[in-house]
């Protein structure tokens, strides 16, 4: 992986100057490379990782597995694209193994809101055979970022 991509993945808030110093290259080179990565669609965007519990976020997130009937010559891409267009859907993945083909994440204000989305918008969609909804109760780690506090051992060091 490109060294600049690796740095951006870990901390997208670093300035071009800070990245240049870290990598031992000119700031102009970093700026040019990042612009190219964005123009080529390799870098899709930058997001903050928010701890929903500490932010007092009252939303619920569900991971929804979807069994589909793929279209001839278009495979899974056609239905995945249609699911991706739904405003409630945050992400969509093609999966292997198990009994489901696609997986999506959806966030709503309440369990009922997500359940109604599945019942009224996702399940009736042409090509969707079945779904299984799993509500995420607590995040421990996401995209390499820990959401749990590390337990501190205050017993001290003991040597014999």
């Amino acid at each position: 992986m490109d060294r600049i991509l690796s740095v951006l993945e870990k901390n997208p808030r670093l300035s071009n100057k800070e990245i240049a110093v870290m990598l031992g290259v000119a700031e102009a080179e970093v700026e040019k490379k990042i612009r190219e990565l964005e123009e080529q669609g390799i870098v899709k965007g930058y997001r903050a990782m928010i701890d929903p519990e500490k932010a007092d976020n009252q939303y619920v997130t569900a991971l929804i597995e979807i069994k589909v009937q793929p279209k001839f010559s278009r495979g899974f891409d056609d239905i995945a694209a249609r699911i991706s267009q739904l405003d409630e859907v945050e992400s969509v993945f093609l999966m292997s193994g198990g009994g489901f083909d696609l997986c999506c994440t959806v966030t709503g204000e309440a369990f009922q809101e997500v359940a109604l989305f599945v019942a009224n918008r996702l399940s009736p969609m042409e090509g969707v055979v079945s779904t299984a909804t799993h509500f995420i109760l607590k995040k421990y780690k996401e995209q390499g970022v820990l959401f749990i506090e590390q337990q501190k051992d205050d017993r001290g060091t003991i040597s014999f």
Side-chain angles (χ1 to χ4, degrees), residues 49 51 139-150:
M49 298 293 293
D51 186 329
K139 284 185 188 180
Y140 293 100
K141 185 175 184 178
E142 183 177 23
Q143 296 182 12
V145 177
L146 288 172
F147 284 80
I148 54 175
E149 300 293 325
Q150 296 293 331

Side-chain angles (χ1 to χ4, degrees), residues 36-48:
E36 288 173 0
L37 292 168
E38 291 170 344
E39 288 171 357
Q40 295 170 3
I42 295 170
V43 172
K44 296 290 190 183
Y46 306 90
R47 292 190 68 175

